[in-house]
Amino acid sequence: MAAEIVNPRSETHTDQEGGAEPLDSFDPAFALHRGGKMAVQATVPIRDKDDLSLAYTPGVAKVCTAIAEQPDLVHDYTWKSSVVAVVTDGTAVLGLGDIGPEASLPVMEGKAILFKQFGGVDAVPIALACTDVDEIVETVVRLAPSFGGVNLEDISAPRCFEIERRLQERLDIPIFHDDQHGTAVVTLAALRNAARLSGREIGQLRAVISGAGAAGVAIAKMLVEAGIGDVAVADRKGVVSADREDLTDVKRELAGFTNKAGLTGSLEDALAGADVFIGVSGGTVAEEAVASMAEGAFVFAMANPNPEVHPDVAHKYAAVVATGRSDFPNQINNVLAFPGIFAGALQVRASRITEGMKIAAAEALASVVGDDLAADYVIPSPFDERVAPAVTAAVAAAARAEGVARR
């Protein structure tokens, strides 16, 4: 499959309900999206009856029979080993929330063309008309024979955790919830470089994460895996700590491996003396709380479109500032991670994506910055052509080292 950008401005569209101009006339985003952002394209020619007989019947029967006798041949003679399903139920789409499967499709198409553009990986958007965990798991399991991997996208927490876990237990292909792990990989890469810039190690830092949803939990896990000094996570009710009686199972587990200092109280309380703020929740953090952080602190305020701490405020107190926006330096953007991670996993036909593979992706991403490291450049641009190859190679090597590669 090839993702193609079709220029809708080359066509004339008329309104069929009374003559009003279509939305395309007022907003270039609608014009770009008319007809969708992608298409399927053949990779072999069908010029005559000989081509037809090879691509379809009777030639295709030989390939089908061979795969039936040796199932692993499906990777060599179909697109399976190079295509990913981008699966959503439309319950947590960008900052829009639960908008349903149809309304999620523009985002899933966008994700698919990012896979192609930045990782050379084909992807198919699949929006499911169900939100029940059992139904989603069973549906994806039934679809899995067609794909080499599954990218779960925009599925609300805490269901996303169980869906990913159960799918990985049932399937022997990579299952990756990008809202969790893609965000965590890029965050860790930026934090490694921010620490390097300040002459410190990850283990010397105390971090505070605002948001205990999919991204916040995954970032906390990855920071602990990477050896962070300490990390506390705060939700709407304050710091997630073992003494709270209102915790979900996910947050109870989170409390078990975070917050070694035993902090309680509000997010603002936890920020006093902290080295790192990581925002993945929205809302606004008071300037006084940012000012209370340690000297030379890092502020990664990643909510879109409104960061938890505006960069103008963050720069008054922080040595390194990152956001989720493309119009400020140091954009924490998942597109830096997921195309290369899947490309590396598919390259070696990995059965899963391990913590080691994600850590390797973060280290490779951080290394791209190299000697150009600066306060306004701790993470590379998505358009840096070195990114995807570096992440791909690192992930493939880690998969082999961890024994999940099958070639």
Side-chain angles (χ1 to χ4, degrees), residues 128 130 132-142 162-164 166-167 170-171:
L128 303 178
C130 61
D132 178 78
V133 169
D134 291 337
E135 290 183 359
I136 292 173
V137 169
E138 292 302 322
T139 300
V140 175
V141 167
R142 285 167 170 77
E162 183 179 359
I163 289 169
E164 183 187 43
R166 287 172 57 181
L167 284 174
R170 297 274 301 273
L171 299 172

Side-chain angles (χ1 to χ4, degrees), residues 49-65:
K49 65 182 182 63
D50 291 333
D51 288 343
L52 182 60
S53 68
L54 287 173
Y56 200 54
T57 184
V60 72
K62 297 178 183 178
V63 181
C64 293
T65 301

Side-chain angles (χ1 to χ4, degrees), residues 200-216:
R200 288 177 284 178
E201 300 290 335
I202 290 282
Q204 297 173 271
L205 304 176
R206 178 171 74 83
V208 177
I209 299 173
S210 174

Side-chain angles (χ1 to χ4, degrees), residues 11-77:
E11 300 181 13
T12 300
H13 301 283
T14 57
D15 184 89
Q16 298 181 9
E17 298 183 3
E21 289 189 77
L23 292 169
D24 306 32
S25 302
F26 303 100
D27 193 323
F30 283 93
L32 179 75
H33 282 78
R34 181 173 288 278
K37 298 192 291 283
M38 56 187 294
V40 173
Q41 178 177 299
T43 60
V44 297
I46 307 292
R47 298 161 300 196
D48 52 38
K49 65 182 182 63
D50 291 333
D51 288 343
L52 182 60
S53 68
L54 287 173
Y56 200 54
T57 184
V60 72
K62 297 178 183 178
V63 181
C64 293
T65 301
I67 294 172
E69 294 172 351
Q70 300 181 58
D72 282 349
L73 291 178
V74 69
H75 297 285
D76 297 310
Y77 295 106

Side-chain angles (χ1 to χ4, degrees), residues 25 46 59 69-70 74 77 83 85 105 174 225 241 261 264 315 399 407:
S25 302
I46 307 292
E69 294 172 351
Q70 300 181 58
V74 69
Y77 295 106
V83 68
L105 267 177
E225 186 76 20
S241 57
T264 58
H315 277 297
R407 73 169 182 182

Side-chain angles (χ1 to χ4, degrees), residues 180-327:
Q180 294 181 60
H181 311 301
T183 306
V185 166
V186 183
T187 301
L188 175 58
L191 186 57
R192 281 196 181 281
N193 276 338
R196 179 164 69 94
L197 182 67
S198 66
R200 288 177 284 178
E201 300 290 335
I202 290 282
Q204 297 173 271
L205 304 176
R206 178 171 74 83
V208 177
I209 299 173
S210 174
V217 171
I219 292 169
K221 286 182 177 180
M222 183 159 285
L223 293 186
V224 169
E225 186 76 20
I228 190 82
D230 195 11
V231 56
V233 182
D235 62 11
R236 292 186 183 92
K237 297 181 179 180
V239 175
V240 175
S241 57
D243 64 334
R244 280 178 48 181
E245 297 180 356
D246 60 343
L247 300 181
T248 63
D249 290 344
V250 171
K251 291 180 183 179
R252 192 172 297 109
E253 179 188 359
L254 181 65
F257 65 84
T258 61
N259 194 18
K260 292 187 293 186
L263 300 175
T264 58
S266 68
L267 167 70
E268 287 76 11
D269 293 334
L271 280 176
D275 302 294
V276 185
F277 168 75
I278 297 171
V280 285
S281 66
T284 302
V285 177
E287 182 172 345
E288 294 78 8
V290 181
S292 75
M293 295 177 69
E295 185 177 353
F298 313 140
V299 171
F300 293 1
M302 301 188 295
N304 260 321
N306 300 312
E308 295 88 348
V309 183
H310 192 279
D312 291 345
V313 173
H315 277 297
K316 294 180 184 180
Y317 311 102
V320 175
V321 177
T323 72
R325 288 173 44 160
S326 60
D327 54 343

